[in-house]
């Protein structure tokens, strides 16, 4: 027997073995056997239909991106516009009081010299001594060192 | 040209099926019945490959459609209806097989046949089928049960027609090997 005929014979015997007539769906029998399920299927027809157009629009990825872009743009515009009207409190630059130790550093004295010559250097020294003079005699060594270092 | 025509016909069929699925989700009983009529033979074939019994297979297929009628709104991709249905059917068939396994079935009693060479061959083929892996047995049943087309099998299994052809060829080869071991020289 050739291979082709052999294959045909084999397929026929498989078909004869497993085939026992074409199965047909009997709708009436199905309704009788599964009344609850069939009723549930039909009950969906009475429910109000979903807004399929809206669903479709949101399902489309291009429209999704466009919608997201519009929202971001609108929010940005709103923020820019509202930002214009607001008066932003700019914090004032305050003079930071330097500690006596900082006032007597080489850098600090050099800056004072450039600003006002030797008079400015003397004034800065006097100022630092003035600050130290304000302390009472009861001050401890640790407190004095902390005061000099400005900590 | 022919291929293009086949492709167009397939897409039209797919489109009409998607419409039927949508209508069934919305509760149209006629659309559901049409879908059930289309896929009932394939579902019986799948269930038969699991249960090994025609009556149980029909029960499983009907139970599958009952579950589908209720769960249909949960199906997100309408074009994957056949594959989704096949999954429900496999589970239903496994449940029925577990429940009925061990019980004496009426169909078993009716199968007492007169010994003949052809009956022996059929019994051997049946035995070889049980020794195949589940996926191979399933494709054999789908192809030879009611002569389902490759296109229909493809829709149910969710694989390409070439893949079905390959799986079918391998399954037949395995069956032939089993039968040869049993002493059948024709295959």
């Amino acid at each position: 027997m050739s291979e082709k005929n052999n294959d045909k014979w084999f397929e026929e015997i498989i078909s004869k073995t497993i085939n026992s007539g074409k199965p047909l769906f009997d709708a009436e029998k199905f309704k009788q056997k599964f009344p609850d399920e069939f009723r549930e299927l039909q009950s969906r027809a009475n429910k109000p239909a979903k807004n399929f157009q809206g669903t479709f629009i949101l399902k489309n990825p291009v429209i999704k991106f466009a919608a997201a872009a519009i929202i971001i743009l609108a929010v940005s515009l709103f923020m820019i516009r509202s930002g214009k009207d607001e008066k932003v409190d700019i914090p004032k630059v305050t003079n930071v009081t330097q500690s006596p130790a900082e006032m007597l550093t080489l850098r600090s004295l050099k800056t004072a010299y450039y600003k006002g010559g030797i008079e400015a250097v003397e004034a800065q020294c006097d100022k630092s001594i003035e600050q130290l003079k304000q302390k009472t005699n009861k001050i401890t060594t640790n407190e004095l060192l902390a005061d000099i270092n400005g900590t | 040209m022919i291929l293009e025509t086949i492709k167009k016909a397939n897409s039209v069929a797919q489109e009409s099926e998607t419409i039927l699925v949508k209508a069934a989700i919305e509760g149209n009983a006629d659309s559901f019945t049409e879908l059930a009529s289309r896929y009932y033979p394939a579902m019986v074939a799948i269930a038969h490959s699991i249960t090994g019994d025609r009556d149980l297979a029909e029960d499983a297929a009907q139970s599958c459609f009952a579950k589908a009628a209720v769960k249909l709104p949960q199906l997100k991709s309408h074009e994957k209806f056949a594959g989704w249905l096949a999954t429900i059917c496999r589970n239903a068939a496994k449940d029925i097989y577990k429940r009925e396994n061990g019980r004496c079935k009426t169909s078993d009693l009716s199968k007492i046949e007169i010994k003949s060479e052809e009956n022996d061959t059929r019994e051997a083929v049946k035995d070889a089928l049980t020794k195949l892996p589940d996926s191979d047995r399933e494709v054999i049943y789908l192809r030879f049960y009611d002569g389902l087309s490759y296109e229909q099998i493809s829709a149910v299994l969710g694989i390409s027609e070439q893949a079905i052809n390959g799986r079918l060829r391998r399954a037949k080869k395995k069956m032939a090997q089993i039968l040869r071991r049993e002493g059948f020289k024709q295959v």
Side-chain angles (χ1 to χ4, degrees):
Chain A
M1 209 189 287
S2 74
E3 201 176 311
K4 204 176 174 183
N5 284 339
N6 206 359
D7 197 48
K8 205 179 168 190
W9 172 84
F10 189 42
E11 284 191 354
E12 266 176 26
I13 201 81
I14 294 171
S15 191
K16 276 180 187 173
T17 305
I18 62 174
N19 202 349
S20 45
K22 187 181 179 175
L24 290 168
F25 182 74
D26 189 337
E28 289 307 315
K29 213 174 166 182
F30 178 78
K31 280 179 210 171
Q32 284 169 7
K33 202 173 173 183
F34 302 98
D36 294 338
E37 284 84 352
F38 198 76
R39 221 175 292 127
E40 194 168 331
L41 166 78
Q42 284 182 313
S43 71
R44 289 200 295 268
N46 304 325
K47 285 178 187 169
K50 280 183 182 176
N51 186 0
F52 280 106
Q53 205 177 355
T55 316
F56 170 74
I57 286 168
L58 284 176
K59 270 183 185 173
N60 193 330
V62 179
I63 297 169
K64 256 186 197 175
F65 277 116
I70 289 166
I71 291 165
I72 291 165
L73 198 71
V75 170
S76 312
L77 281 171
F78 175 75
M79 282 171 78
I80 290 164
R81 278 189 74 97
S82 59
K84 270 183 185 174
D85 301 334
E86 270 179 26
K87 283 180 184 174
V88 181
D89 290 330
I90 301 162
K92 285 177 185 173
V93 180
T94 52
N95 290 324
V96 178
T97 315
Q98 285 182 312
S99 68
E102 279 169 337
M103 280 193 280
L104 292 174
T105 57
L106 190 64
R107 196 177 170 191
S108 182
L109 293 171
K110 205 175 169 183
T111 313
Y113 181 76
Y114 282 124
K115 277 182 180 173
I118 195 73
E119 288 85 10
V121 174
E122 277 176 1
Q124 190 155 324
C125 288
D126 291 344
K127 201 178 170 186
S128 68
I129 290 161
E130 197 69 33
Q131 276 191 26
L132 288 169
K133 266 186 188 172
Q134 286 169 6
K135 305 292 168 190
T136 58
N137 293 332
K138 287 177 183 174
I139 195 162
T140 63
T141 318
N142 283 340
E143 280 172 341
L144 183 67
L145 284 170
D147 207 37
I148 289 168
N149 292 321
T151 51
Chain B
M1 187 71 184
I2 298 164
L3 270 173
E4 272 180 27
T5 317
I6 292 169
K7 273 182 186 173
K8 270 184 187 174
N10 284 350
S11 68
V12 168
Q14 180 63 53
E15 209 174 304
S16 74
E17 187 173 298
T18 311
I19 293 165
L20 283 173
V21 173
K22 270 187 186 175
I25 288 170
E26 286 169 32
N28 188 311
D30 290 340
S31 299
F32 181 79
T33 307
E34 173 57 33
L35 285 169
S37 304
R38 272 189 198 185
Y39 285 107
Y40 189 70
M43 294 307 120
V44 174
I46 287 174
H48 200 162
S49 80
I50 294 166
T51 60
D53 181 89
R54 170 67 184 255
D55 295 335
L56 291 181
E58 293 229 22
D59 283 349
Q62 283 167 11
S63 162
C64 151
F65 282 106
K67 281 177 188 162
V70 177
K71 289 183 177 176
L72 207 49
Q74 292 172 19
L75 176 67
K76 282 175 186 169
S77 310
H78 297 168
E79 59 279 1
K80 287 179 183 168
F81 172 75
W84 176 77
L85 199 63
T87 307
I88 296 176
C89 186
R90 281 186 205 107
N91 291 334
K94 280 173 192 168
D95 287 347
I96 286 181
Y97 181 68
K98 272 182 206 164
R99 201 175 61 211
E100 297 290 322
N101 201 18
R103 283 191 204 173
C104 182
K105 289 164 271 184
T106 48
S107 52
D108 287 341
L109 298 172
S110 66
K111 277 174 195 162
I112 300 164
E113 289 168 347
I114 304 153
K115 264 211 166 249
S116 70
E117 200 183 327
E118 197 177 317
N119 283 345
D120 284 349
T121 314
R122 281 193 199 184
E123 279 307 311
V125 168
K126 216 178 253 180
D127 193 46
L129 274 166
T130 59
K131 286 172 184 164
L132 285 180
D134 291 352
S135 58
D136 288 346
R137 190 169 55 250
E138 191 174 81
V139 82
I140 290 270
Y141 268 86
L142 281 165
R143 182 69 186 127
F144 295 104
Y145 208 73
D146 186 40
L148 290 173
S149 70
Y150 276 53
E151 187 203 330
Q152 285 170 303
I153 301 171
S154 169
V156 169
L157 298 182
I159 55 174
S160 70
E161 291 179 23
Q162 286 97 321
I164 289 162
N165 202 20
R167 196 184 280 186
L168 205 53
R169 214 169 342 104
R170 280 194 300 276
K172 280 196 287 183
K173 209 175 167 183
K174 279 179 197 166
M175 274 185 78
Q177 282 171 349
I178 294 165
L179 287 168
R180 252 182 255 126
R181 274 204 299 268
E182 299 289 323
F184 283 86
K185 285 171 185 172
Q186 298 99 311
V187 286

